[in-house]
Amino acid sequence: MSTALDTPAFSPAPPPEPGAAPTSARSSRARRLVRGRDDDPSWVRPALLGLLGATGLLYLWDLAASGWANAFYAAAVQAGSQSWEAFFYGSSDAANSITVDKPPASLWVMEASVRLFGLNSWALLVPQALMGVATVGVVYLAVRRVVGPGAGLLAGTAMALTPVAVLMFRFDNPDALLVLLMTLAAYATTRALETASLRWMVGVGVLIGFAFLTKTLQAMLVVPGFALVYLVAAPTTLGRRFAHVLAAGGALLVSAGWWVAIVELVPASWRPYIGGSQTNSVWELIWGYNGLGRLTGDETGSVGGGGGGRTGGGNWGATGLTRLFSAEVGGQIAWLLPAALALLVAGLVALGRAPRTDVRRAALLTWGSWLVVTGLTFSLMAGIFHAYYTVALAPAVAALVGIGGGLLWQRRGTAWARIVLALTLLATAGTSFVLLGRSADFLPWLRWVVLVAGLLAALGLLVAHRAGRLVAATVLAVGVLASLGGPAAYAAETAGKAHTGSIPSAGPTVSGGTGFGAGRGFPGGGTPRNGGGFRGQPPTGQPAAGQVPTTGGTTGTRAGRAGGAMGGLLDAADPSAQVVAALSQDAGAYRWAAAAVGSNSAAGYQLATQLPVMPVGGFNGSDPSPTLAQFQALVADRQVHFFIAGGGLRSTSGSSASADIAAWVAATFTARTVDGVTLYDLTQPVG
């Protein structure tokens, strides 16, 4: 009655025979690439190649439809493809006025692609999609090492079809590289635990260090769990375990700290301003805006910051243990979350008497600590939170489903394992039923198919141990389809439409969304457009409650396209050919062709003109970059040609420099309107 999930994990490959010819070795490697390991069943490698190919097709399908996706990062990539200084620092513009509000590691990958293939959607987004395919492959490898290829394929499929993963591996945010690096670190931890390998543990430190250079402290959430698991389960003495963990910590410090040290040591006048900080400090960015402020909600310069407290998340949605199942977040990640938690516990129970060094239990604890720590952080953080952050949970959820499900399936001869599997499947089908019900117009029949299939498969699991191989395989297949049918439908819907803006969201529109931080609503009750931005937001130039408008505004028929969601904060400008022509006039004589309040507003003009556009105030328009005095000096020195009115809303906290600059420009220079966009020529003062 064996099935795919019964295939055992592989053992290390035997060393080559002494005297083997190099040509023979190369031939053997090529054959293994196609056929797989000699001890694998014949279906394993074709199934893996099919999974990776299907994932690539899903992630690459009509990828260019999203255009620049998140123009905030696309503009930084454009800048880095023109200036090596912008490349190194992660500047928003090639003239290096200010950086993005993250370290630049994710930009480096896309910038290298753009330098090779030119600036276009494919060059920007294909690296992200390939990272997704690689992540699926690494999840498969990690799970199959401890449970077997069938469980690895289940985990890889679950990873590939997680809706938020489909979204973010087709988008140019840093999350794609972050997830790949963290998944590689978990795999390296598994390898280190097999033989107490110092080399693999150092690799873990290096991978997490570069994950830190991708999205700072979020990468550190997995560190305590990985270190503790190694200290408990590595097959060597306690002293060596501590030494290996310390070595990994040193590797992490070096790989994460070299860039930070350079930025801090270089004089501020020699480099761009550090976006997201109020003091031009990368340390402030790490520990404040991108660090502890995310937990407490005390984020100076943030727009719509958290409200703190036990249930308050301000405009970022209510906090609490049910946050990941809310209308805003549930459809992104929650499909298999109950199953992952249940199978984590059941797997640990199944291995209760295993030796301390058992790699299966160590793997459960590695992925389980990732899921629990990161999941609780997302659930309780009072600061900026978006639903797409939950892509960081996808590898852990998928791996736990594969490992726990595989362990229990191998023990289906015992009543308790069958009962747990059946109840887990019922809970998964019920979760899908609820999540699909939140999108009443999206395949309304599917929720009932999933529920019925889950019920039938759960009943079949209770008697699968007495059935023949064909019946057991059928029950298994129906159960997998019932579990993955909902997320697969969301995944296909996500891949089938364009996504743009700063707050993308996977799947169809759902009912019950409230917090704009989760990507499903706007303060005061808006709902998102497909792919980003919002319907129901205040008209361009009018602030939401508690927010301060910048001086100036756009008029005419193109006001919405020039301003975007939240007055230009979340969506990039979409200038016409006439506006592009006006901004390009005599551009070679100026360091910046124009300046605009807010990074997204500036990004749209920069991508359209391929010229440096200064984002006054950074992402939120709340950074003191430049100050009014600095901007006046630049204008006097004829380094900025135009000022574009409108732009983003400024936070009630942080610097007022952007509002001061906009007011000074409006009072000092003559405005003209080009196709609905108000431009100030900074070489033509009033009168």
Side-chain angles (χ1 to χ4, degrees):
M1 292 194 302
S2 62
T3 64
L5 287 181
D6 295 303
T7 306
F10 61 77
S11 56
E17 296 182 5
T23 302
S24 176
R26 287 194 295 269
S27 175
S28 176
R29 285 194 293 268
R31 185 180 64 83
R32 281 187 58 186
L33 179 64
V34 177
R35 166 62 177 82
R37 297 179 60 91
D38 293 335
D39 54 351
D40 274 348
S42 60
W43 55 265
V44 171
R45 184 50 57 94
L48 173 60
L49 295 177
L51 170 62
L52 297 179
T55 302
L57 180 63
L58 179 65
Y59 289 1
L60 291 167
W61 182 264
D62 199 20
L63 195 59
S66 294
W68 305 122
N70 190 338
F72 173 61
Y73 292 113
V77 171
Q78 182 268 340
S81 69
Q82 294 186 350
S83 162
W84 286 111
E85 182 180 354
F87 180 98
F88 179 79
Y89 289 110
S91 301
S92 290
D93 60 275
N96 294 289
S97 64
I98 191 171
T99 70
V100 298
D101 56 5
K102 301 289 186 298
S106 67
L107 300 176
W108 292 339
V109 178
M110 292 183 282
E111 287 164 350
S113 175
V114 169
R115 283 179 176 268
L116 286 173
F117 303 109
L119 181 65
N120 58 75
S121 296
W122 287 97
L124 190 71
L125 299 178
V126 166
Q128 308 293 88
L130 295 180
M131 289 178 199
V133 177
T135 301
V136 170
V138 175
V139 168
Y140 163 82
L141 290 173
V143 172
R144 79 149 292 167
R145 289 198 74 86
V146 295
V147 186
L153 289 169
L154 174 61
T157 303
M159 177 68 215
L161 294 178
T162 301
V164 71
V166 178
L167 173 71
M168 298 314 294
F169 286 122
R170 295 168 53 87
F171 212 69
D172 50 353
N173 275 32
D175 302 77
L177 180 60
L178 173 73
V179 170
L180 173 59
L181 290 171
M182 291 170 64
T183 306
L184 285 167
Y187 172 78
T189 301
T190 298
R191 295 297 301 268
L193 284 162
E194 293 174 352
T195 59
S197 170
L198 173 61
R199 181 182 64 178
W200 280 105
M201 278 305 290
V202 170
V204 173
V206 171
L207 289 164
I208 295 178
F210 277 93
F212 177 89
L213 291 182
T214 302
K215 213 173 178 187
T216 61
L217 294 183
Q218 184 178 335
M220 298 300 172
L221 294 176
V222 301
V223 171
F226 288 8
L228 185 59
V229 171
Y230 190 85
L231 288 173
V232 170
T236 188
T237 63
L238 183 60
R240 286 189 175 181
R241 279 177 263 160
F242 271 106
H244 291 181
V245 169
L246 289 175
L252 189 161
L253 183 63
V254 172
S255 58
W258 67 272
W259 182 85
V260 175
I262 291 174
V263 173
E264 284 294 295
L265 291 173
V266 170
S269 60
W270 293 9
R271 59 164 172 79
Y273 188 93
I274 302 301
S277 74
Q278 296 294 306
T279 60
N280 198 9
S281 167
V282 70
W283 280 112
E284 181 197 337
L285 176 66
I286 292 169
W287 294 105
Y289 183 78
N290 280 339
L292 299 180
R294 299 288 174 120
L295 301 179
T296 64
D298 183 15
E299 299 161 298
T300 302
S302 168
V303 174
R310 299 172 65 181
T311 60
N315 287 324
W316 315 115
T319 60
L321 297 180
T322 61
R323 187 185 217 176
L324 299 182
F325 297 92
S326 65
E328 296 91 344
V329 186
Q332 314 297 299
I333 190 63
W335 306 87
L336 297 175
L337 188 54
L341 294 172
L343 292 172
L344 167 62
V345 175
L348 292 175
V349 171
L351 300 172
R353 295 186 178 182
R356 173 185 65 83
T357 57
D358 187 87
V359 293
R360 298 167 299 175
R361 180 169 55 205
L364 283 171
L365 292 173
T366 298
W367 297 101
S369 64
W370 175 344
L371 176 61
V372 171
V373 173
T374 305
L376 286 175
T377 301
F378 289 164
S379 297
L380 302 176
M381 60 191 288
I384 297 174
F385 173 77
H386 303 309
Y388 69 78
Y389 290 178
T390 57
V391 69
L393 300 174
V397 169
L400 290 172
V401 168
I403 297 172
L407 290 173
L408 263 64
W409 181 257
Q410 294 168 5
R411 290 161 175 76
R412 64 187 180 278
T414 61
W416 77 269
R418 296 195 303 275
I419 292 172
V420 171
L421 280 173
L423 292 176
T424 301
L425 182 55
L426 277 177
T428 302
T431 301
S432 294
F433 184 82
V434 172
L435 294 177
L436 288 169
R438 291 172 176 171
S439 304
D441 297 329
F442 177 71
L443 303 178
W445 52 268
L446 181 60
R447 62 196 299 243
W448 295 102
V449 172
V450 166
L451 186 63
V452 172
L455 178 60
L456 292 176
L459 293 174
L461 284 172
L462 296 177
V463 297
H465 64 297
R466 296 181 179 179
R469 179 178 180 179
L470 180 59
V471 174
T474 301
V475 169
L476 182 61
V478 173
V480 170
L481 290 174
S483 300
L484 298 180
Y490 260 52
E493 201 274 348
T494 300
K497 71 181 184 183
H499 294 271
T500 60
S502 295
I503 309 180
S505 186
T509 301
V510 300
S511 60
T514 56
F516 93 96
R520 294 290 190 180
F522 183 86
T527 56
R529 297 192 298 265
N530 284 348
F534 297 88
R535 296 187 296 265
Q537 77 247 25
T540 302
Q542 295 184 19
Q547 295 173 319
V548 178
T550 57
T551 301
T554 55
T555 60
T557 59
R558 300 184 61 84
R561 299 183 70 186
M566 287 186 71
L569 174 63
L570 300 178
D571 278 350
D574 182 18
S576 68
Q578 295 95 316
V579 175
V580 170
L583 294 177
S584 302
Q585 179 185 352
D586 297 327
Y590 300 89
R591 185 175 177 185
W592 289 277
V597 173
S599 294
N600 266 310
S601 180
Y605 295 106
Q606 178 170 304
L607 290 167
T609 62
Q610 301 292 293
L611 298 169
V613 177
M614 178 190 294
V616 176
F619 185 87
N620 294 319
S622 57
D623 297 342
S625 171
T627 64
L628 175 58
Q630 289 169 337
F631 189 79
Q632 289 172 332
L634 291 171
V635 171
D637 200 28
R638 299 179 67 87
Q639 295 197 53
V640 188
H641 193 182
F642 291 101
F643 184 86
I644 305 167
L649 298 172
R650 186 178 62 79
S651 170
T652 53
S653 64
S655 171
S656 63
S658 64
D660 296 339
I661 289 170
W664 173 73
V665 168
T668 308
F669 298 94
T670 303
R672 66 181 173 120
T673 300
V674 179
D675 197 18
V677 176
T678 302
L679 302 179
Y680 292 90
D681 187 337
L682 301 182
T683 67
Q684 300 294 326
V686 174

